Amino acid sequence: MPQRPAEKERVRRMKRRFLALVASTVALVAMLPAVAHADGVTELRILGQDLLQTPIISCGSGTASYEAATNTLTLENATIDADGGNGIRFTGSLTIHLVGENKIEADQRGIYGNGVEGETVLLTGDAGASLTIVSGDEGVQVDDSTSPSELEISGVTLDVTSGARSALVLEGLSLEVTGGAEASLVTSSQSSALRTDADVAIADGSSVALEGAGSYGALVGGELAVEGASLTAKSSSTALWAKGNITIEDATVSASSSGNALRTDKTLAVSGDSAVTAQGGVFGETGVTVSPLAGERVDVWAGASEDEAAHYASSDGTLRSPFSSDATLNSYGGLSANSYVRIVRHEHSGAPATCTQRAVCEYCGDTYGTLDLSNHVWGDPVFRWYEGGKVCAVAFPCEMDPSHVSLMDASVSSAAGKAPTCTEAGTTVYTATVSFGGSDYSATTETADVAALGHKTELVGARDATALAEGYTGDLVCTVCGTTVKTGETIARLPMGTEVMYRLYNPNSGEHFYTSSLVEREVLVTVGWRDEGVGWVAPTEGDPVYRLYNPNAGDHHYTMSAHERDVLVEAGWTDEGVGWYSANEKDVTALPVYRQYNPNAATGTHNYTLSKDENDMLVDAGWNAEGIAWYAVEPL
């Protein structure tokens, strides 16, 4: 972006001040004996400018400055555009400190360092600081000519894209990525995204992403260790290849390629809470070792693809995933035969927990988690009927624990069942329905809750006794079903000048009624009076017995006293004339008819009977004995 005039003037003033400072510094240095930078850089150039001579230069809208006391190059929002060479070139050890967002575009190398001589090159910076490198050749190349050295990337973001060669090349230096650093190394050439002949360590929450279009994602000449960090790699060849051991501990590693995704010429060791995914398979020359966390298991999935992956099992069956202790898997003819491998902490799965049993893992057989008090195995419902079938509750007991019961109120409908008869009750069929657990359930019960119709009777075969022939009280026969409800009694022949007095009882009012009329008797029996047979035999002439009716109470009264009759008539009773006659007490055949009074009754207050036992029983029950009402005639 072109600089504004004000900005150009500010830069010119800054340059004049620094040139004056540099001039005085050069004069001072010229008076001193020459000193070698044994613990720092002996050469440091940016865009061809020597920062050992000019400690600060402008780089786009930012700056690059060097502090000799700390051997630190600080890039602050710097943009370094190297059109024909390297962006930064140095010799010896160096600390590069990043402030803000920085960028290097170079036709050759973005950063090129050599002659580190057993020291450390450190790329670090303020929180959130970053460096983006786009290069035609190597993105970053650092060489050590004599002794092991190290490139450390700590706490910053490094994003490198190279065109013709590797994104990061280290000759004789190991690589350490730490302090939560983030590094992305991408090459579009046939070279590796990362190449070093020494060790690589990624730790402390850092993450590294590698992509080698035509070769390796990473080619490590020493050992590769990923601890508490993450590493991803993609390539068309081997994604990750280490000549030494590969150790992965509490880390996430994902590698994918058309060849071996993850390869070591020694041993691959995966331990702790790690997750390793290899699209293209893994190969460890001396085996692949898995070590689970204490008290847990580790899964090894293997197959032609992720969808086809299954728990790994060795050909002889001695090793089978998941593993509860350290296990070494043979790569030859075993793990490496699978194009997809995933090594990860075992997660239990299988049938869910129930109300009485924790979940059981279908792979390792361990129980895990807690009880699920809401997960029951419901058995068949039990229907409980109330109020004769009108109300129904349904209980679903749990087959796991019968004390766990789900209760529900059912919806109840009814329909007519068996029709009632004269003697048997009819029924109602009740149907209860309930929906539970996605299914419908029903049950029926039949209740005899329709009252029997009762017999509708008529008197059949009744005839009066005469002096010449016996009579018959008649049979009570149901007009509906034809059943003989009550068999009649024979009435003895009567003496000359006598008639039979029939006794009936009203169960609703408690009244006894007496009549000589078969017709009246039959009518009363038909409407519900109880036939009590022959009360006594009365003469057809003699002293009259008056019959009266109370229209208010519906009660009858019988008396030989004309005075009592008249008093009752004046009180509103209806005089129904002579009901029958009484025999003369002096007749040899005269039988006394006893009269009792119930002081507690409103109707049926009087009772008349030939039976002295009945008289005495009623008196004992609280009735008042009122002596002899009249006299009957002893039948033949």
Side-chain angles (χ1 to χ4, degrees):
M1 178 181 296
Q3 290 181 326
R4 294 189 296 269
E7 179 66 18
K8 289 182 178 179
E9 179 60 26
R10 185 185 68 82
V11 172
R12 282 196 295 270
R13 287 198 302 268
M14 183 181 295
K15 286 182 176 179
R16 283 197 297 270
R17 287 197 297 269
F18 281 118
L19 287 174
L21 176 63
V22 169
S24 61
T25 303
V26 169
L28 178 62
V29 169
M31 292 185 294
L32 297 175
V35 178
H37 297 269
D39 295 327
V41 292
T42 58
E43 178 188 19
L44 176 58
R45 294 181 178 276
I46 296 179
L47 298 174
Q49 297 187 59
D50 186 355
L51 268 73
L52 298 183
Q53 300 298 322
T54 307
I56 182 168
I57 64 173
S58 297
C59 298
S61 59
T63 60
S65 61
Y66 174 69
E67 184 180 75
T70 59
N71 190 38
T72 300
L73 170 65
T74 299
L75 301 179
E76 183 173 358
N77 296 313
T79 299
I80 300 172
D81 190 355
D83 284 337
N86 301 312
I88 298 174
R89 179 187 177 96
F90 65 91
T91 301
S93 64
L94 179 65
T95 295
I96 301 175
H97 186 90
L98 304 178
V99 178
E101 297 181 0
N102 302 273
K103 185 174 183 180
I104 300 175
E105 292 188 5
D107 289 344
Q108 295 181 9
R109 304 175 184 86
I111 297 176
Y112 177 50
N114 61 13
V116 178
E117 303 295 341
E119 298 296 332
T120 297
V121 176
L122 173 62
L123 178 62
T124 186
D126 292 355
S130 65
L131 174 59
T132 300
I133 299 175
V134 178
S135 67
D137 291 335
E138 287 85 355
V140 177
Q141 179 177 346
V142 184
D143 301 334
D144 182 7
S145 60
T146 59
S147 58
S149 302
E150 177 183 68
L151 170 63
E152 179 180 348
I153 304 171
S154 178
V156 294
T157 298
L158 175 63
D159 188 348
V160 181
T161 303
S162 68
R165 297 181 183 176
S166 297
L168 175 59
V169 178
L170 301 177
E171 300 287 353
L173 285 86
S174 63
L175 171 65
E176 181 177 358
V177 183
T178 186
E182 297 181 5
S184 172
L185 308 176
V186 178
T187 180
S188 57
S189 72
Q190 296 296 314
S191 300
S192 306
L194 167 63
R195 178 169 60 83
T196 175
D197 54 7
D199 299 335
V200 173
I202 305 169
D204 194 21
S206 300
S207 64
V208 174
L210 307 172
E211 184 171 349
S215 184
Y216 306 111
L219 181 59
V220 180
E223 297 193 347
L224 171 61
V226 187
E227 181 177 351
S230 67
L231 171 61
T232 61
K234 297 179 181 179
S235 76
S236 59
S237 182
T238 302
L240 291 174
W241 187 356
K243 300 303 179 96
N245 296 310
I246 297 179
T247 58
I248 301 170
E249 182 177 358
D250 298 326
T252 300
V253 174
S254 177
S256 61
S257 72
S258 57
N260 288 128
L262 189 57
R263 176 173 181 170
T264 170
D265 291 352
K266 292 186 178 180
T267 299
L268 169 64
V270 181
S271 63
D273 188 13
S274 295
V276 177
T277 304
Q279 295 273 9
V282 299
F283 179 82
E285 183 71 30
T286 57
V288 176
T289 300
V290 294
S291 301
L293 290 168
E296 297 197 22
R297 297 173 184 262
V298 62
D299 276 326
V300 178
W301 297 86
S305 65
E306 181 177 1
D307 292 338
E308 299 176 23
H311 277 274
Y312 171 82
S314 62
S315 58
D316 59 4
T318 57
L319 296 175
R320 186 176 298 276
S321 172
F323 300 101
S324 59
S325 60
D326 294 355
T328 299
L329 316 181
N330 186 357
S331 292
Y332 289 97
L335 204 57
S336 63
N338 298 278
S339 299
Y340 174 86
V341 174
R342 180 165 172 79
I343 303 171
V344 66
R345 184 174 64 176
H346 175 62
E347 295 290 342
H348 297 299
S349 63
T354 67
C355 58
T356 59
Q357 180 175 298
R358 295 194 303 156
V360 179
C361 180
E362 63 181 316
Y363 297 110
C364 69
D366 288 348
T367 58
Y368 64 96
T370 60
L371 298 178
D372 184 353
L373 298 181
S374 65
N375 186 15
H376 304 275
V377 180
W378 298 115
D380 294 331
V382 177
F383 289 80
R384 298 172 180 170
W385 300 93
Y386 303 94
E387 297 183 18
K390 297 178 181 177
V391 176
C392 183
V394 185
F396 287 87
C398 177
E399 293 181 351
M400 308 294 291
D401 185 346
S403 66
H404 296 169
V405 178
S406 180
L407 292 175
M408 303 181 67
D409 291 329
S411 175
V412 179
S413 61
S414 62
K418 184 174 64 176
T421 65
C422 297
T423 58
E424 294 183 357
T427 62
T428 301
V429 177
Y430 295 95
T431 300
T433 58
V434 66
S435 295
F436 182 74
S439 298
D440 296 329
Y441 302 89
S442 64
T444 60
T445 187
E446 189 170 8
T447 305
D449 54 3
V450 182
L453 299 176
H455 294 297
K456 298 184 181 300
T457 59
E458 63 179 357
L459 196 62
V460 177
R463 61 181 182 277
D464 288 330
T466 66
L468 299 176
E470 294 176 333
Y472 189 66
T473 59
D475 299 328
L476 286 176
V477 179
C478 179
T479 59
V480 177
C481 65
T483 300
T484 298
V485 177
K486 183 179 180 181
T487 302
E489 298 177 353
T490 299
I491 305 173
R493 286 188 303 113
L494 303 177
M496 296 297 292
T498 61
E499 61 181 352
V500 173
M501 296 301 302
Y502 301 105
R503 172 169 152 164
L504 301 101
Y505 174 69
N506 187 335
N508 298 315
S509 66
E511 177 190 4
H512 282 91
F513 182 73
Y514 311 91
T515 181
S516 62
S517 169
L518 274 173
V519 174
E520 189 174 25
R521 168 175 170 259
E522 184 174 352
V523 169
L524 292 178
V525 169
T526 301
V527 297
W529 288 64
R530 187 181 300 160
D531 180 15
E532 293 188 331
V534 177
W536 66 87
V537 176
T540 56
E541 58 182 31
D543 296 323
V545 177
Y546 303 106
R547 175 171 137 176
L548 299 103
Y549 175 67
N550 185 345
N552 296 316
D555 198 10
H556 286 85
H557 185 65
Y558 314 94
T559 180
M560 290 181 66
S561 170
H563 175 71
E564 184 178 15
R565 177 199 64 187
D566 295 341
V567 169
L568 292 177
V569 169
E570 288 181 5
W573 290 63
T574 300
D575 182 5
E576 293 187 338
V578 177
W580 56 87
Y581 293 93
S582 173
N584 191 308
E585 64 178 315
K586 296 181 180 180
D587 289 347
V588 176
T589 60
L591 300 172
V593 177
Y594 302 101
R595 168 172 153 173
Q596 306 88 38
Y597 172 70
N598 185 349
N600 300 313
T603 59
T605 56
H606 285 85
N607 184 60
Y608 307 89
T609 180
L610 276 174
S611 170
K612 186 64 168 61
D613 290 340
E614 184 179 359
N615 175 84
D616 295 344
M617 180 190 68
L618 292 176
V619 170
D620 290 340
W623 292 58
N624 296 332
E626 293 188 337
I628 297 173
W630 55 79
Y631 288 91
V633 175
E634 184 177 0
L636 295 176

